Amino acid sequence: MMQELGLERFSNDDVLRLDITPPSQTSSTSLSIDEEESTEAKIRRLISEHPVIIFSRSSCCMCHVMKRLLATIGVVPTVIELDDHEVSSLPTALEEEYSGGGSVVVPPPAVFIGRECIGGLESLVALHLSGHLVPKLVQVGALWV
């Protein structure tokens, strides 16, 4: 059933993987993803629907470190693995709406917490070391203390 929905559970990370590419013509279940929806629109919608979301490439070691850091705190993020053609849509989705007005390009992995683009691994670790990560996770409802 999970495979039909485009979801795959990784037992070692306890993370769900959601495939945002349109389902094949033979599959009738689309997990509320509009087949007409552009990749950029899907990315924007996913950011708005999940308190903590990481956009990554397959087998990205930095994404693994991000997931581990969040897991040690007690948060299981939504992880979206993007194909090359989807990665090219990511910077467009990260412009003004998520970067505070600047035209910022954040290559995968990119983490969003409460619709705000935190950036890559370095930014996430800096936020954690400054003591601001846990309060931000609590504020968006991703963590209860």
Side-chain angles (χ1 to χ4, degrees), residues 126-143:
L127 190 64
H128 180 56
L129 292 176
S130 70
H132 294 100
L133 179 59
V134 171
K136 182 175 264 324
L137 293 168
V138 170
Q139 178 185 10
V140 302
L143 181 66

Side-chain angles (χ1 to χ4, degrees), residues 1-47:
M1 175 78 174
M2 288 180 75
Q3 290 292 344
E4 293 173 14
L5 297 175
L7 293 174
E8 187 176 334
R9 180 166 293 281
F10 294 101
S11 60
N12 59 342
D13 289 333
D14 197 29
V15 172
L16 289 178
R17 177 179 171 217
L18 173 63
D19 182 7
I20 65 171
T21 56
S24 66
Q25 298 296 332
T26 58
S27 176
S28 62
T29 309
S30 66
L31 189 62
S32 77
I33 293 177
D34 184 2
E35 293 179 36
E36 310 274 322
E37 192 175 28
S38 71
T39 301
E40 182 179 336
K42 290 176 191 175
I43 290 171
R44 289 178 187 274
R45 182 175 50 76
L46 289 166
I47 289 168

Side-chain angles (χ1 to χ4, degrees), residues 65-105:
V65 175
M66 286 177 150
K67 291 185 288 188
R68 282 290 175 228
L69 171 60
L70 291 167
T72 59
I73 295 171
V75 174
V76 179
T78 301
V79 178
I80 306 295
E81 292 187 356
L82 301 174
D83 294 332
D84 287 337
H85 72 280
E86 294 166 330
V87 167
S88 65
S89 296
L90 189 56
T92 307
L94 293 176
E95 286 177 2
E96 294 183 26
E97 186 174 344
Y98 300 109
S99 63
S103 177
V104 111
V105 175

